[in-house]
């Protein structure tokens, strides 16, 4: 009896070693390329360093309140939140609409699905470059067409008008992201049992009622995935304003990441930039957790 | 068999060692060829630069130059500097790069060396750190206003030579439906280029000591009259609508295209954008002139970024390194170097650019070499580098914002004084 127990515990021990061995490469990769840089950034945030001199001056936590004196960083944060909320809402709304339109196999539905998905295959850098040409106030196609049809008043400075410029950045992000979120919703819709919908129909539920009481609750996991991924991805948005404004976004269109990068590499204030990055990391993490917590709770409620 | 193999191997080793020692000894005996190392960052033309330096043996058979091209120069330079393993000769940029290296004691003091007399006095003075020289200035990159020769000819206008003429020319262009100056305001790039030019022309070299005092808390931008005048003259373009409509919705790249395609008569940009302008519209006949931003006219001060060479502080080959640099700055060779590196102007006296269409802008700018000073507010001695660069970038940001609102220079000064108060 004892022998069997020993054999089982030996087997478990060996299994644990094998598991550890299997996890080790990924863990090592995670520590070297994620944990270490994060800790390194926190360490750097405690110093004043211009990136040129070899000596660094220890200032403790003094860089942190100083980051808030930088109004550009706070404006960047507001802009980040605006873009994240705007894109999360509209991208999900639009892609859900597309998913509902195309998930049933109809004539040309595959073609339309491909059409909506195609922008997701284009790199964000290319998309941002393309859009920056389209929305240019003087050489851009959009203003050119508006002027051609006599709507000169609408031919505005898209990249130079507050809020509008953020919407332009958001639209570029959405254009590239709708395809993927649509596919997640389509997968969610396909996983809903047709019997459920049929029984609802037999019970007299109309099209809207079927969506409201059957489809929508059953899509809760897809919502959680899409809302979290879109929100977090747009909270750390960087490439679009960086490309659209050719590395120099003005204050009205700056986001936290562009401020962090320019503080380090244009102004040579690496300590301050690291402090901003730490705050950005912590706040993004809190927001991400809060969002996932509420979405999970909603998921459970709907089930 | 085994013994035979061991014997053969031993013989091979002995003969190898003997040959190596003998060859080395011969080289040592000759003592003729000294290798001087040069560290440089132009990896786009690394092979051409190596080839260029190979020619030194024709003049000095006892010298050989080994070019070390660093891709990520800033990082590579910092690392090698920290390890005190710099090359004998270091390609270096005026400003923070030379200031920090000189302050750290990594560069040889070249003050009073005859080699510096061969460079334009303006660049020698402009690149000095604490009154001492640590670099031989060679190339000049400057911001420069371009103009479209065809548009000027079509409206029978000539290039303005002073501020009043500039305003009058702009007014005539505006009346004829031509945008006088391309000036984008979506980013601060255009404003920065123009700003250095205006500061250089209006404030001149007094900019550095005055800015230094203000950065340190002795004085204010609001009471610095030449500064206010320079900023006011920049804002004037927006106030009078001499820039493209909706300029705040146009980034720098679009602005270059806008100008190259003939939508406006003038544009201020880095002169190194000549290639981009030419590529955007090969038919455009573009030329370059200094901003007549001051009242005195074209004998103005042009802001320039200078690049050159320094010598490592503890190289045992300092004499040879100086020889290499002396060889490099012979006028014809400096001209070849300028053509190879594609600079706008050479800091070396007597350098001429060949009479080719593609060197038109270089030849035009070369006339002003003696007036090219690095009037960079962020290169003030004694001012923390971060504060200097940060404040300077905010100067242009504030000017850009005020231009969008068509405000006043006083608003810019107020913003800057507040920023400095917060940062000090």
């Amino acid at each position: 009896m004892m022998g069997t127990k020993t054999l089982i515990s030996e087997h478990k021990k060996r299994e644990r070693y094998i598991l550890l061995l299997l996890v080790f490469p990924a863990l090592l990769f995670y520590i070297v390329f994620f944990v270490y840089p994060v800790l390194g950034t926190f360490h750097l945030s405690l110093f004043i360093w211009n990136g040129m001199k070899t000596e660094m001056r220890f200032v403790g936590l003094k860089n942190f309140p100083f980051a808030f004196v930088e109004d550009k960083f706070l404006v960047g944060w507001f802009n980040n939140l605006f873009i994240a909320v705007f894109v999360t809402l509209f991208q999900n709304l639009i892609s859900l609409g597309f998913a509902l339109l195309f998930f049933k196999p109809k004539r040309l539905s595959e073609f339309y699905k491909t059409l909506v998905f195609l922008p997701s295959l284009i790199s964000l850098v290319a998309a941002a470059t393309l859009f920056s040409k389209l929305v240019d106030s003087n050489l851009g196609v959009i203003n050119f067409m508006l002027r051609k049809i006599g709507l000169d008043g609408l031919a505005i400075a898209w990249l130079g008008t507050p809020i509008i410029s953020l919407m332009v950045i958001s639209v570029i992000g959405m254009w590239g992201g709708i395809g993927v979120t649509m596919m997640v919703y389509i997968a969610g819709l396909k996983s809903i049992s047709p019997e459920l919908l049929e029984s609802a129909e037999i019970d007299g539920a109309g099209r809207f009622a079927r969506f409201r009481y059957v489809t929508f609750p059953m899509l809760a996991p897809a919502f959680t995935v899409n809302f979290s991924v879109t929100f977090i991805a747009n909270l750390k948005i960087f490439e679009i304003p960086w490309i659209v404004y050719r590395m120099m976004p003005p204050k009205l269109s700056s986001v936290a990441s562009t401020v962090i990068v320019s503080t380090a590499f244009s102004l040579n204030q690496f300590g301050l930039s690291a402090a901003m990055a730490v705050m950005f990391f912590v706040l993004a993490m809190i927001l991400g957790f809060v969002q996932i917590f509420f979405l999970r709770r909603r998921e459970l409620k709907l089930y | 068999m085994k013994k035979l193999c061991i014997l053969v191997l031993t013989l091979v080793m002995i003969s190898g060692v003997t040959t190596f020692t003998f060859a080395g000894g011969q080289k040592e005996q000759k003592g003729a060829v000294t290798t001087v190392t040069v560290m440089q960052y132009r990896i786009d033309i690394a092979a051409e630069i190596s080839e260029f330096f190979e020619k030194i043996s024709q003049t000095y058979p006892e010298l050989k130059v080994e070019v070390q091209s660093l891709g990520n120069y800033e990082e590579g330079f910092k690392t090698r500097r920290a390890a005190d393993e710099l090359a004998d000769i270091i390609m270096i940029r005026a400003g923070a790069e030379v200031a920090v290296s000189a302050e750290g004691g990594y560069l040889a003091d070249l003050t009073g060396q005859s080699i510096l007399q061969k460079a334009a006095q303006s660049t020698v003075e402009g690149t000095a750190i604490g009154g001492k020289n640590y670099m031989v200035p060679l190339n000049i990159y400057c911001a420069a206003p371009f103009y479209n020769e065809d548009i000027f000819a079509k409206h029978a206008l000539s290039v303005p030579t002073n501020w009043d003429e500039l305003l009058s020319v702009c007014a005539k262009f505006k009346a004829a439906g031509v945008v006088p100056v391309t000036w984008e305001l979506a980013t601060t790039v255009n404003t920065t280029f123009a700003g250095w030019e205006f500061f250089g022309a209006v404030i001149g070299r007094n900019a550095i000591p005055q800015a230094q005092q203000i950065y340190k808390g002795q004085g204010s931008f609001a009471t610095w009259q030449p500064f206010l005048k320079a900023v006011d003259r920049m804002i004037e373009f927006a106030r009078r609508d001499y820039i493209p409509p909706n300029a705040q919705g146009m980034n720098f790249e679009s602005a270059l295209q806008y100008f190259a395609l003939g939508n406006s008569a003038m544009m201020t940009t880095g002169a190194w954008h000549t290639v981009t302008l030419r590529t955007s519209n090969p038919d455009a006949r573009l030329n370059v002139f200094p901003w007549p931003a001051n009242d005195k006219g074209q004998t103005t001060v042009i802001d320039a970024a200078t690049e050159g060479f320094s010598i490592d502080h503890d190289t045992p080959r300092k004499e040879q390194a100086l020889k290499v640099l002396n060889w490099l700055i012979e006028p014809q060779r400096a001209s070849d170097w300028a053509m190879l590196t594609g600079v706008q102007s050479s800091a070396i006296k007597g350098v001429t650019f060949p009479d080719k269409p593609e060197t038109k802008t270089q030849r035009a700018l070369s006339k002003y070499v003696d007036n090219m000073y690095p009037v960079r507010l962020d290169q003030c001695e004694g001012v923390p580098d971060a504060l200097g660069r940060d404040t300077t970038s905010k100067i242009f940001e504030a000017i850009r914002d005020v231009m969008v609102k068509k405000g006043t220079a006083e608003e810019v000064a107020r913003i800057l004084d507040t920023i400095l108060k917060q940062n000090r």
Side-chain angles (χ1 to χ4, degrees):
Chain A
M1 198 64 186
M2 281 296 284
T4 319
K5 263 190 181 173
T6 320
L7 262 178
I8 290 170
S9 72
E10 275 294 313
H11 180 74
K12 273 188 178 169
K13 212 186 257 179
R14 199 182 305 154
E15 207 171 46
R16 209 175 294 149
Y17 282 133
I18 292 171
L19 281 174
L20 267 175
L21 206 69
L22 289 172
V23 167
F24 183 72
L27 195 68
L28 187 74
F29 192 83
Y30 184 75
I31 291 169
V32 172
F33 294 104
F34 182 75
V35 179
Y36 176 70
V38 167
L39 294 177
T41 308
F42 183 73
H43 175 254
L44 191 57
S45 71
L46 307 175
F47 292 86
I48 284 183
W49 183 48
N50 73 355
M52 298 279 279
K53 288 181 180 168
T54 42
E55 73 268 24
M56 294 154 85
R57 187 153 62 88
F58 181 76
V59 288
L61 296 172
K62 279 182 188 163
N63 273 330
F64 288 86
F66 199 67
F68 285 107
V69 176
E70 292 288 308
D71 57 340
K72 209 171 176 180
F73 184 58
L74 294 178
V75 172
W77 249 104
F78 167 79
N79 291 348
N80 258 127
L81 276 177
F82 178 90
I83 293 169
V85 171
F86 187 89
V87 176
T88 307
L89 284 179
F90 285 94
Q91 184 171 317
N92 280 285
L93 207 66
I94 296 168
S95 50
L96 179 64
F98 279 134
L100 289 168
L101 271 176
F102 305 137
F103 94 98
K104 276 184 188 163
K106 282 183 205 158
R107 209 169 138 249
L108 290 178
S109 68
E110 287 303 317
F111 170 73
Y112 289 126
K113 246 192 272 178
T114 314
L115 214 62
V116 176
F117 189 74
L118 267 180
S120 305
L121 301 176
I122 296 171
S123 109
L124 264 185
V125 174
T129 310
L130 180 79
F131 271 88
S132 73
K133 301 275 178 210
L134 290 177
V135 297
D136 184 89
S137 57
N138 287 301
L139 293 179
V141 177
I142 293 175
N143 278 2
F144 173 78
M145 281 162 68
L146 286 170
R147 285 191 196 106
K148 276 275 170 210
I149 55 171
L151 296 171
D152 292 44
L154 289 180
I156 56 166
W158 299 97
L159 298 175
T161 313
I163 304 294
I164 300 283
S165 63
L166 294 181
M167 286 182 179
V168 171
I169 293 169
S170 306
V171 166
I172 302 171
M174 271 160 54
W175 184 76
I178 281 176
V180 177
T181 36
M182 177 191 76
M183 294 312 275
V184 174
Y185 282 127
I186 288 179
L189 286 168
K190 283 193 173 166
S191 70
I192 300 172
S193 154
E195 286 83 7
L196 271 176
L197 291 162
E198 267 170 37
S199 54
E201 201 176 352
I202 291 163
D203 288 345
R207 204 174 263 195
F208 179 75
R210 281 205 306 273
F211 177 76
R212 169 74 184 82
Y213 297 106
V214 181
T215 311
F216 190 65
M218 296 302 282
L219 271 181
F223 270 108
T224 307
V225 169
N226 273 344
F227 269 73
S228 323
V229 170
T230 322
F231 187 78
I232 293 167
N234 284 284
L235 207 58
K236 59 186 176 77
I237 193 166
F238 171 74
E239 318 85 313
I240 300 174
W242 196 253
I243 297 293
V244 166
Y245 292 97
R246 298 292 178 273
M247 301 192 280
M248 300 282 276
K251 201 194 290 177
L252 70 104
S253 310
S254 285
V255 291
S257 314
T258 59
V259 179
I260 291 168
V261 170
S262 58
T263 304
F265 297 100
S266 301
L267 305 178
N268 281 354
Q269 291 172 294
F270 284 82
L272 178 62
S273 165
M276 288 174 175
V278 169
M279 285 194 283
F280 182 59
F281 173 75
V282 172
L283 287 171
M285 205 165 64
I286 293 170
L287 280 174
F289 277 136
V290 167
Q291 196 209 18
I292 291 172
F293 172 76
F294 279 109
L295 285 170
R296 283 262 182 237
R297 216 170 62 165
R298 179 184 157 273
E299 244 179 73
L300 291 173
K301 249 189 208 171
L302 288 172
Y303 271 124
Chain B
M1 187 64 185
K2 201 177 167 186
K3 277 182 183 170
L4 187 72
C5 281
I6 291 170
L7 188 71
V8 170
L9 271 174
T10 315
L11 279 173
V12 168
M13 274 171 69
I14 291 168
S15 64
V17 170
T18 318
T19 316
F20 181 77
T21 316
F22 180 68
Q26 237 186 2
K27 198 176 166 185
E28 202 59 48
Q29 239 180 14
K30 260 190 176 176
V33 180
T34 308
T35 303
V36 176
T37 50
V38 176
M39 211 168 94
Q40 67 93 23
Y41 45 79
R42 289 292 301 270
I43 46 161
D44 54 326
I45 47 167
E48 287 86 346
I49 288 180
S50 292
E51 216 172 283
F52 183 91
F53 277 111
E54 272 171 25
K55 290 179 197 148
I56 198 165
S57 60
Q58 291 166 11
T59 317
Y60 299 114
E62 74 278 16
L63 284 182
K64 188 185 162 199
V65 172
E66 183 195 299
V67 178
Q68 300 169 352
S69 304
L70 300 190
N72 188 350
Y73 195 75
E74 216 164 291
E75 287 307 312
F77 180 47
K78 272 187 268 181
T79 312
R80 290 183 61 168
R81 190 178 53 193
D84 205 1
E85 282 178 8
L86 290 172
D88 300 325
I89 298 175
I90 309 125
M91 196 179 201
I92 203 157
R93 285 169 285 220
E97 217 167 69
V98 73
V100 174
S101 308
E103 281 164 16
Y106 297 103
L107 306 179
D109 184 1
L110 302 174
T111 317
Q113 292 279 353
S114 59
I115 192 170
L116 293 173
Q117 286 164 13
K118 293 177 185 170
Q121 198 53 29
S122 58
T123 56
V124 176
E125 283 175 23
T127 54
I129 305 293
K132 288 186 174 178
N133 295 97
Y134 296 92
M135 70 180 277
V136 178
L138 201 66
N139 297 343
I140 301 177
Y141 296 91
C142 57
F146 281 75
Y147 68 96
N148 187 316
E149 290 179 332
D150 289 329
I151 297 181
F152 269 80
K154 192 180 164 192
H155 295 88
L157 290 169
S158 51
V159 174
T161 57
N162 59 44
W163 179 247
D164 290 335
E165 273 182 37
L166 176 66
L167 289 186
S168 144
V169 162
C170 286
K172 283 174 188 160
F173 276 130
K174 194 187 165 192
V178 176
V179 173
V181 182
T182 297
W183 195 319
E184 60 87 15
L185 295 174
T187 75
T188 51
V189 183
N190 222 160
T191 309
T192 306
F193 282 133
W196 288 128
E197 279 288 282
F198 274 74
F199 291 162
V202 181
I203 313 175
R205 299 187 56 234
N206 296 329
I208 291 177
Q210 185 65 39
Q212 186 182 2
Q213 301 241 309
I214 296 174
Y215 284 3
K216 283 178 179 169
Q218 300 149 3
S220 133
F221 281 106
T223 52
W224 187 10
Q225 288 311 316
F227 174 81
L228 291 176
K229 191 175 177 182
V231 175
D232 201 48
R233 290 194 163 176
M234 290 169 74
I235 298 171
E236 190 84 46
F237 287 92
R239 241 184 267 136
R240 295 186 186 221
D241 290 327
Y242 289 163
I243 60 174
N246 282 333
Q248 70 270 32
M250 195 182 199
N251 66 29
F252 185 67
E253 201 179 88
S254 301
L256 282 173
Q257 257 180 327
Y258 185 83
F259 170 67
L261 295 172
N263 291 297
S264 86
M266 292 171 271
M267 178 184 183
T268 191
T269 167
W272 54 94
H273 285 122
T274 315
V275 180
T276 317
L277 291 169
R278 209 184 285 132
T279 318
S280 298
N281 183 6
D283 299 328
R285 290 199 311 125
L286 306 177
N287 209 333
V288 70
F289 72 119
W291 267 122
N294 65 4
D295 301 318
K296 292 173 198 159
Q298 283 188 348
T299 50
T300 177
V301 179
I302 297 183
D303 169 70
T306 313
E307 140 191 293
F309 287 99
S310 293
I311 295 177
D312 182 25
H313 72 117
D314 61 356
T315 172
R317 292 170 291 276
K318 189 180 172 189
E319 217 173 282
Q320 288 90 338
L322 271 169
K323 224 175 196 179
V324 172
L325 291 184
N326 262 306
W327 172 84
L328 182 62
I329 63 167
E330 283 297 315
Q332 185 50 49
R333 212 160 285 120
S335 171
D336 293 344
W337 175 262
M339 292 299 293
L340 173 69
T341 48
V343 298
Q344 279 80 57
S345 219
S346 174
I348 305 304
K349 289 175 190 167
V351 168
T352 50
F353 283 86
D355 194 10
K356 289 179 185 171
E358 64 268 27
T359 58
K360 186 165 71 175
T361 50
Q362 277 105 327
R363 277 181 284 122
L365 286 168
S366 292
K367 290 181 220 159
Y368 307 101
V369 172
D370 287 332
N371 295 331
M372 289 181 177
Y373 285 90
V375 192
R376 304 289 302 254
L377 302 183
D378 50 354
Q379 289 168 12
C380 304
E381 288 165 34
V383 172
D385 182 50
L387 177 62
R389 287 184 79 167
D390 191 15
T391 312
T392 310
S393 93
K394 279 170 182 163
I395 288 179
F396 297 117
E397 222 169 75
I399 296 173
R400 187 209 79 99
D401 290 347
V402 172
M403 278 181 83
V404 172
K405 292 189 290 183
K406 296 181 184 173
T408 62
E410 284 73 22
E411 282 176 56
V412 173
R414 226 176 9 251
I415 296 167
L416 294 174
D417 282 341
T418 315
I419 291 167
L420 274 179
K421 211 172 163 187
Q422 282 174 346
N423 288 9
R424 250 182 236 127

